[in-house]
Amino acid sequence: MTVVALAPAGAQQTAVEIDEDDIGGVVTGPSGPEGGVWVIAETTELPTKYAKIVVTDDQGRYVIPDLPTANYQVWVRGYGLVDSPKVRAKPGQQLNLTAVPAPNERAGAQYYPAIYWYAMMKMPPEKDFGGSTEIPKNITRELWRQRMGNVDCVGCHQLGQESTRTIPAQLGKFKQGEEAWMRRVSSGQTGEFMVNRLAGQLGGVPFKYFGDWTDRVAKGELPKHKPPRPQGVERNIVVTLWEWGTEKQFTHDLISSDRRNPTVNAHGPLYGSPENSSLSTST
């Protein structure tokens, strides 16, 4: 007969195996191991800003693999949490981390994907289409959805992240969100194109809906749904990020290979396609 003594849940942590270019450990919170949260390692000591992101398993374990030699800031991010304090670490180091629960729903919602916030924006009812309102007669509800979704707006912008669901103070003071969006859209190097689309083709009506959206966010309204933490194979993904370009460049497209033959340029450089305005110099 073999007798096995089981330790109480949370009483021990399974060791994480790493090698000399990994950082690994266990993430725990007030209730024990934190599964399905991201662990981020970031450094500015390489030629470009560099970050690598992994996801913890059910036991809170993580391994950030194959890191270039540098000093890293490492922290935890996840739904239901706020970012944990950043801890300095080097490859080859065991690093256990403590997750920080969000103090309230509003604080936790700041980490939701942008689309959860953008989904709060309302659409005109079906009765407003067909020429009975300021919406041009030739605009159907489906065409409206396309123009306000991934064909136009979301095709170029990550609408819903903090910078778009809020109105920058630098734009000025406005009586209502509709006026703020008229000012916002007319700014920048593609302002003319966006104004022509929203004020011309769509009759200016989108400004009302954009304004209503950000006004409700400013008053404290939150997304209706909460995103789930990564599950299953979603936890196997390792994301590596390199920063490139500068704050004065507007790089619109990125390519690394040929989708018809993905072996082209294997492990080679990435190529960006900037807007014409990025290529001009000011005096």
Side-chain angles (χ1 to χ4, degrees), residues 118 121 123-124 129 138-156 159 197-198 201-202 206 210:
Y118 192 47
M121 192 170 73
M123 282 188 60
F129 294 88
N138 65 315
I139 301 298
T140 64
R141 201 162 192 253
E142 181 57 33
L143 183 59
W144 176 284
R145 184 182 290 110
Q146 291 177 3
R147 292 289 177 255
M148 299 294 284
N150 63 352
V151 173
D152 275 358
C153 296
V154 179
C156 291
L159 286 174
R197 176 71 84 198
L198 299 180
Q201 185 181 32
L202 300 178
F210 274 121

Side-chain angles (χ1 to χ4, degrees), residues 56-101:
T56 60
D57 65 10
D58 284 334
Q59 299 177 52
R61 299 175 300 180
Y62 75 92
V63 175
I64 308 176
D66 306 328
L67 290 165
T69 301
N71 291 300
Y72 290 85
Q73 297 290 329
V74 184
W75 72 97
V76 179
R77 174 175 293 175
Y79 301 136
L81 308 175
V82 294
D83 281 1
S84 66
K86 296 181 179 180
V87 179
R88 185 181 176 91
K90 293 183 177 180
Q93 182 176 339
Q94 289 276 351
L95 182 66
N96 293 332
L97 298 165
T98 302
V100 181

